[in-house]
Amino acid sequence: MKTASLLIAVLLGGCAIPASKPMVAPVSDTALGLSPDAAPTIAADWWRGFGDPQLDRLVGDAVAGSPSLDAALARIAQAQAVVASRNADNGPDVTLDAQEQYARLSGRYTIPPPYGGSTRFVGSTVANLNWNLDLFGRQKAAIAGARASVAAASLDLAAARLSLSGSVVQTYIDLERAEAQATIATRTIATRENSLRLVNVRVRNQLNSKLDAQAATTLVAQARQALLRAQAAQVLARNALAALAGRGADYAATIAATRLHLDAALPLPQVLPADLLARRADIGAAQARIAAAAAGRQVARKAFYPNVNLAALAGFQAVGLGNLLSLDAGTVGAGPAVHLPIFDNGRLKADLAGATAALDLATADYNDRVIGAVREAADAMSRVAALSADRARQREVVRGFSETGRLNAVRVASGLDSRLDLVDNDVRTLEAEQADANLAANAAQQRVALVLALGGGFTQDIR
């Protein structure tokens, strides 16, 4: 009775778990200032709203063939392998050990003569069973942590796909921007070359000076420079799209002119929706990592409890080859095996402290991502509104310069002004038209950024 009481006391003493509590709590949704209003649903293929079939093809090629997704896919496979390994640890483990040695047996040990002191074959063939009963749930916690890691890796893949799709769309808009600037420059070149021809005629007829001809030549050169820059930007955009698709330089040649409707309406909210966090795959991945870290902490805590296994063996053991397969050489055994940590020089305590710190790190990372997601969405909404107003003012600027240029041209044609008087206005008109094209592209890119900030059509069903 005293022995049993002593054993129970030892077990309870070995199960004493030191205090180690998490210090970081997840940020509360109510502290984020989100609106209770529901936001419009965003389709998973939201980029189709721009109405360009070529963009649909480019996004599909990128998602299907980009090497940037390979790492995310590999992490999923790795996490799934860990789940399989943890599940295997939770079941029975059966092994077969076979051994045959030619050895001299000691004459002064456990085997008496005539075997003791002789040289003979000594062999054994034994099947072993070992089954961790997991009475305190340590393996169960390890499996839960591994599954949470799989969920996190799957959500990382969804986030990577969304980011890749967004990068393709943003780059495609850059291509459209370069094409628009090239169109403006080409139109300006044609207009200015025609003006140059007229000025040269008037110079020959002594109606204009050579200064007028030089001014007109300068304007043509400036427009041609703008065209060269736009053409170079088109090449870079096509190369970037080829890289995003995981293709070589020849792929860029398959990208034709864009047919984007930059002002296409995307389903965007006016306020930050209450379900913003549920829309984001990266937030879901951070939540899954909190669950994995919490499960890891449970594994560390339960390491203080006894580990109870069921062990069994059955087989043959004999001295001499002829005796190995006799029934009398059979051996069998079964029983529980208990492992209890008594003194480990603080190793288990350190493991628990490390697992608790890992949980705090996962929670802190989640909080950082949540605050970043709210700011990202708020900033994108502000930029969309600001660019809309900026574009309206810029169109007024373009109309103003165009009307000034028309009136100046009338005065020059009437001989009231010199061609030199048009230089400054013509330069500003080109710059204003290019700025308007830039703002149109920037506005479209900011709407895309807002779509991405709102999750880009992600749902929890995406894995």
Side-chain angles (χ1 to χ4, degrees), residues 154-164 281-282 458:
S154 299
L155 290 165
D156 282 339
L157 176 61
R161 284 174 174 162
L162 173 63
S163 177
L164 179 61
D282 57 338
F458 166 78

Side-chain angles (χ1 to χ4, degrees), residues 107-457:
R108 297 284 189 262
Y109 196 46
T110 59
I111 301 176
Y115 293 107
S118 64
T119 301
R120 298 175 182 270
F121 281 100
V122 178
S124 66
T125 301
V126 179
N128 304 284
L129 168 68
N130 189 60
W131 195 339
N132 187 340
L133 300 181
D134 196 29
L135 296 181
F136 298 98
R138 183 180 181 186
Q139 286 300 120
K140 183 179 179 181
I143 293 172
R147 287 175 176 167
S149 295
V150 171
S154 299
L155 290 165
D156 282 339
L157 176 61
R161 284 174 174 162
L162 173 63
S163 177
L164 179 61
S165 301
S167 295
V168 171
V169 176
Q170 300 272 27
T171 305
Y172 197 71
I173 292 174
D174 280 335
L175 176 59
E176 196 282 338
R177 180 205 313 269
E179 290 176 350
Q181 290 179 342
T183 299
I184 293 170
T186 300
R187 183 178 66 245
T188 303
I189 289 172
T191 300
R192 292 180 178 180
E193 285 180 342
N194 184 58
S195 297
L196 177 59
R197 285 192 292 270
L198 293 176
V199 168
N200 287 331
V201 171
R202 292 175 66 86
V203 168
R204 287 194 296 271
N205 294 325
Q206 297 183 348
L207 297 175
N208 283 113
S209 69
K210 291 185 177 180
L211 284 176
D212 291 320
Q214 184 59 50
T217 302
T218 301
L219 290 175
V220 171
Q222 186 226 7
R224 286 174 177 169
Q225 181 186 46
L227 177 59
L228 288 174
R229 290 174 177 175
Q231 290 172 337
Q234 290 181 59
V235 172
L236 293 178
R238 286 189 169 90
N239 290 341
L241 288 168
L244 288 170
R247 308 295 180 86
D250 57 333
Y251 186 81
T254 68
I255 302 175
T258 64
R259 290 187 290 171
L260 282 176
H261 302 293
L262 285 184
D263 293 326
L266 298 176
L268 302 177
Q270 300 301 314
V271 294
L272 294 180
D275 62 346
L276 171 64
L277 303 185
R279 292 168 173 256
R280 303 261 312 212
D282 57 338
I283 300 299
Q287 289 176 323
R289 288 193 170 87
I290 290 179
R297 182 172 179 272
Q298 287 300 312
V299 171
R301 290 185 75 253
K302 294 179 185 300
F304 287 86
Y305 292 97
N307 189 20
V308 181
N309 291 345
L310 178 63
L313 64 87
F316 299 91
Q317 296 175 333
V319 176
L321 285 174
N323 298 326
L324 184 59
L325 298 180
S326 67
L327 294 178
D328 196 40
T331 180
V332 64
V338 179
H339 172 78
L340 176 67
I342 301 298
F343 177 75
D344 64 356
N345 205 29
R347 182 179 294 107
L348 291 180
K349 183 178 180 180
D351 289 344
L352 177 58
T356 303
L359 177 56
D360 282 339
L361 285 172
T363 305
D365 178 68
Y366 168 79
N367 291 343
D368 183 62
R369 288 178 181 270
V370 166
I371 299 301
V374 173
R375 178 181 177 180
E376 183 182 344
D379 286 351
M381 290 181 64
S382 298
R383 292 192 186 103
V384 167
L387 281 169
S388 178
D390 196 356
R391 284 192 67 200
R393 301 291 81 79
Q394 185 62 35
R395 285 192 290 268
E396 292 179 4
V397 171
V398 171
R399 286 195 294 269
F401 279 126
S402 297
E403 180 62 15
T404 300
R406 186 187 69 81
L407 295 175
N408 284 343
V410 171
R411 291 179 62 84
V412 170
S414 303
L416 299 176
D417 282 324
S418 167
R419 185 69 191 174
L420 291 172
D421 298 322
L422 298 183
V423 173
D424 183 64
N425 188 81
D426 282 357
V427 169
R428 293 192 178 191
T429 299
L430 176 59
E431 292 174 347
E433 289 179 339
Q434 289 179 321
D436 184 53
N438 271 332
L439 284 174
N442 289 342
Q445 288 182 328
Q446 282 305 315
R447 293 199 303 277
V448 171
L450 181 53
V451 168
L452 299 177
L454 296 174

Side-chain angles (χ1 to χ4, degrees), residues 37-58:
D37 298 333
T41 300
I42 299 175
D45 55 351
W46 49 268
W47 57 84
R48 293 183 183 274
F50 287 110
D52 191 334
Q54 180 171 243
L55 176 58
D56 303 339
R57 173 178 70 86
L58 292 174

